[in-house]
Amino acid sequence: MAKRDRSVKEPTKKQTALNRRERELQRRVLLGVGITGALVVILLATGLLQQLVLIPNSPVASANGVKITTDRYQARAKYERALLVNQLAQYQQIQEQLDPGGTNNFFGSQIQQLEQQLSSPETLALSVLDNMIDETLIRQEAAKARPERGPR
């Protein structure tokens, strides 16, 4: 028996063209996936930059050129709200201890006033912003009125 020649056959022109088209198609798909991935990364980076840097540092208000930034304003608003919640809880506790029947109008009116402040977030937010602006203006005036200290 004679052994068959198992040498590698060269691809035909048709196979070569098909291989070339397939490689071109794979290249285009990879390029498309790469561009899409890059766009997603750019969009995510832009969103993170805006949320973590631009918005917190954007001014909410300005008082004589001094900017009140969003992050300072939000922190102050949270602080003021927490103070009101604590104050309300204290008044309610004191009322229960000293006036369980609710006959004293002082505690009832104070509790009602605090509940009203907490139920209106817009009013609380504007109040906090007004206070921050007033404090900035007072600081500026105090700095102007402070006498310059020279060498002793």
Side-chain angles (χ1 to χ4, degrees), residues 2-152:
K3 288 187 178 179
R4 288 189 176 172
D5 189 346
R6 293 191 176 192
S7 62
V8 177
K9 294 183 182 178
E10 289 193 28
T12 63
K13 289 182 181 180
K14 188 175 182 180
Q15 288 174 335
T16 305
L18 284 173
N19 287 341
R20 191 177 318 125
R21 270 189 259 154
E22 187 176 324
R23 282 193 308 268
E24 181 67 23
L25 182 62
Q26 285 178 347
R27 188 180 70 81
R28 286 183 182 178
V29 167
L30 286 176
L31 185 63
V33 168
I35 289 173
T36 304
L39 287 174
V40 167
V41 168
I42 289 171
L43 285 174
L44 287 173
T46 303
L48 282 173
L49 176 70
Q50 184 174 2
Q51 287 296 317
L52 298 177
V53 177
L54 298 179
I55 289 176
N57 291 326
S58 65
V60 175
S62 179
N64 285 344
V66 176
K67 295 178 182 177
I68 298 172
T69 60
T70 303
D71 58 344
R72 282 184 44 216
Y73 166 72
Q74 287 175 342
R76 177 72 176 268
K78 286 178 185 176
Y79 176 73
E80 293 288 334
R81 181 166 173 72
L83 283 178
L84 287 175
V85 167
N86 286 338
Q87 191 175 9
L88 176 64
Q90 287 176 350
Y91 278 147
Q92 287 172 338
Q93 185 178 15
I94 291 171
Q95 183 182 26
E96 286 178 17
Q97 289 175 355
L98 299 179
D99 188 24
T103 57
N104 189 342
N105 288 336
F106 174 75
F107 291 113
S109 65
Q110 292 296 318
I111 289 171
Q112 186 179 16
Q113 185 179 14
L114 288 172
E115 287 173 342
Q116 199 172 31
Q117 286 177 332
L118 287 170
S119 69
S120 177
E122 296 87 15
T123 306
L124 180 61
L126 289 175
S127 172
V128 168
L129 185 59
D130 286 342
N131 289 341
M132 290 181 79
I133 291 171
D134 290 345
E135 290 167 3
T136 302
L137 294 174
I138 290 169
R139 263 190 243 108
Q140 289 175 350
E141 289 301 317
K144 287 180 191 175
R146 188 178 313 142
E148 294 293 325
R149 293 187 178 191
R152 290 185 179 187

